[in-house]
Amino acid sequence: MADLVLDRPRAPRRPAARRSNFELYSWLFMRISGLALIILVLGHLLIMNILDGGVHRINWGFVAGRWASPFWQFWDLAMLWLAQIHGGNGLRTIIDDYARKDTTRFWLKIVLYISMALILAVGTMVIFTFDPNMTAN
């Protein structure tokens, strides 16, 4: 009787030293940041749109008073950073799933990372350099 031998799988296996848990940490970050964003965004919507007169009271003075407090600066900063990184990570996953060519995938990710960095830099700068005493022209 002939010996039955199965061929090795076609997909090459990476050596154990090169394996990374990046995708696991990325998956975990999406779940944790999603929960944190639900709390931050619902709190933001409740305060900005429902309590004390709703959106009609939001003006320069309201924002100036709110950002005078480090608590609200941190709240808005956490919302900005978590939303940007959460969305960017989701878009990175979509790029990995749907971009067929390596060069296309590479350039789409470069555009994504640059845009994320610019939005985070400008948003952070606005939150921390906002001057409530600035006069309108």
Side-chain angles (χ1 to χ4, degrees):
M1 190 167 189
D3 291 327
L4 295 175
V5 178
L6 295 175
D7 290 336
R8 294 184 62 124
R10 293 182 187 174
R13 297 188 72 178
R14 293 191 297 178
R18 295 183 66 205
R19 289 187 186 177
S20 166
N21 285 332
F22 177 75
E23 290 300 328
L24 172 66
Y25 296 137
S26 172
W27 179 87
L28 191 61
F29 170 78
M30 292 297 276
R31 273 55 186 177
I32 294 169
S33 67
L35 289 174
L37 279 168
I38 288 172
I39 294 166
L40 289 170
V41 170
L42 288 179
H44 176 82
L45 289 173
L46 177 72
I47 292 165
M48 300 299 276
N49 297 329
I50 296 173
L51 297 179
D52 294 333
V55 296
H56 301 292
R57 68 185 164 96
I58 298 174
N59 58 21
W60 178 268
F62 177 80
V63 174
R66 183 176 168 152
W67 280 356
S69 166
F71 174 79
W72 291 116
Q73 283 182 326
F74 176 76
W75 184 286
D76 288 345
L77 185 71
M79 200 165 40
L80 168 72
W81 277 76
L82 282 175
Q84 186 64 32
I85 296 172
H86 182 95
N89 190 31
L91 192 52
R92 178 194 61 83
T93 303
I94 290 171
I95 290 169
D96 282 341
D97 287 346
Y98 290 103
R100 297 196 182 269
K101 294 182 182 178
D102 287 340
T103 54
T104 304
R105 190 176 304 116
F106 172 79
W107 287 111
L108 286 173
K109 284 184 181 180
I110 290 296
V111 170
L112 172 65
Y113 297 148
I114 290 172
S115 65
M116 285 177 62
L118 287 173
I119 290 170
L120 286 173
V122 170
T124 302
M125 184 184 73
V126 166
I127 289 172
F128 286 123
T129 63
F130 180 78
D131 182 12
N133 299 319
M134 188 168 79
T135 59
N137 290 337

